[in-house]
């Protein structure tokens, strides 16, 4: 369960939260299984946070930082992550159904077994991102940067994804 003190600071707003993060740099925020459904978390520094099993459905995380965060089995369905930094984030078994990740930094992000059906990754940086066993049906990969066909080789429904070109997967 989430740390009640961390939740209270988060609910105080982006300025309070980000100041607290700077002052407590070695703290890994514990927001496990937190209900953050529909919250405005734009610009929040959630780097190295524990967000496993958290509900972030319909949350607004525009340009938020989730670098090296643990989001295993979290729910990001219909979430706005436009311009977010998810470098080296762990999103195994995460629900990203119809999530907007356009212009996001997804370098070395782990999407193993994730649900990316109808997600929008257009214009994102996906260098060395892992999509093994992820469902990428109707996922939009147009204009992605550092795209390698082999990244999607182990994904499910890759033939139904919207790719920058029509490579032979």
């Amino acid at each position: 369960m989430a740390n009640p003190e961390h939740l209270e600071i988060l609910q105080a707003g982006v300025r309070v939260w980000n100041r607290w993060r700077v002052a407590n740099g070695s703290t890994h925020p514990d927001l496990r299984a937190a209900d953050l459904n529909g919250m405005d978390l734009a610009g929040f520094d959630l780097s190295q946070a524990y967000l496993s099993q958290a509900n972030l459905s319909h949350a607004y995380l525009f340009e938020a930082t989730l670098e090296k965060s643990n989001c295993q089995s979290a729910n990001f369905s219909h979430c706005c992550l436009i311009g977010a930094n998810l470098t080296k984030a762990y999103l195994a078994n995460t629900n990203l159904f119809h999530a907007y990740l356009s212009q996001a930094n997804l370098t070395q992000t782990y999407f193993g077994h994730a649900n990316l059906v109808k997600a929008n990754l257009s214009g994102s940086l996906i260098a060395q991102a892992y999509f093994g066993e992820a469902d990428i049906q109707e996922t939009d990969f147009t204009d992605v940067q550092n795209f390698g066909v082999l990244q999607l080789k182990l994904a499910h429904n890759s033939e139904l994804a919207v790719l920058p070109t029509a490579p032979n997967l």
Side-chain angles (χ1 to χ4, degrees):
M1 295 304 288
N3 181 318
E5 178 186 346
H6 295 177
L7 275 175
E8 186 177 320
I9 297 166
L10 185 81
Q11 292 168 345
V14 67
R15 287 184 184 154
V16 172
W17 176 265
N18 286 348
R19 258 193 318 256
W20 177 77
R21 289 304 313 270
V22 170
N24 297 278
S26 63
T27 301
H28 298 264
D30 184 355
L31 302 169
R32 290 177 287 185
D35 186 4
L36 307 174
N37 182 26
M39 282 190 70
D40 183 352
L41 299 169
F44 275 69
D45 179 1
L46 297 167
S47 57
Q48 299 185 6
Y50 296 109
L51 289 160
S52 58
Q53 299 181 343
N55 180 12
L56 292 129
S57 179
H58 298 278
Y60 186 71
L61 288 133
F62 178 78
E63 295 185 351
T65 301
L66 290 101
E67 187 173 358
K68 298 181 183 175
S69 59
N70 182 341
C71 304
Q72 183 174 2
S73 302
N75 181 6
F76 284 94
S77 66
H78 302 280
C79 187
C80 174
L81 289 151
I82 296 170
N85 180 358
L86 287 102
T87 302
K88 296 184 180 179
Y90 186 71
L91 289 106
N93 299 305
T94 299
N95 182 6
L96 291 149
F97 174 78
H98 217 286
Y100 295 92
L101 295 123
S102 59
Q103 306 301 317
N105 186 344
L106 308 173
T107 302
Q108 296 182 10
T109 301
Y110 184 90
F111 291 103
H113 297 272
N115 175 5
L116 286 154
V117 174
K118 296 186 179 183
N120 184 339
L121 279 65
S122 63
S124 292
L125 176 60
I126 63 168
Q128 300 175 9
Y130 178 76
F131 294 93
E133 302 298 318
D135 190 345
I136 58 170
Q137 181 177 339
E138 296 183 53
T139 301
D140 186 352
F141 288 97
T142 56
D143 299 321
V144 292
Q145 300 171 41
N146 293 70
F147 173 73
V149 174
L150 292 178
Q151 286 177 273
L152 304 181
K153 198 68 172 168
L154 299 175
H156 294 291
N157 297 313
S158 57
E159 70 280 2
L160 301 174
V162 181
L163 301 173
T165 59
N168 183 13
L169 300 172

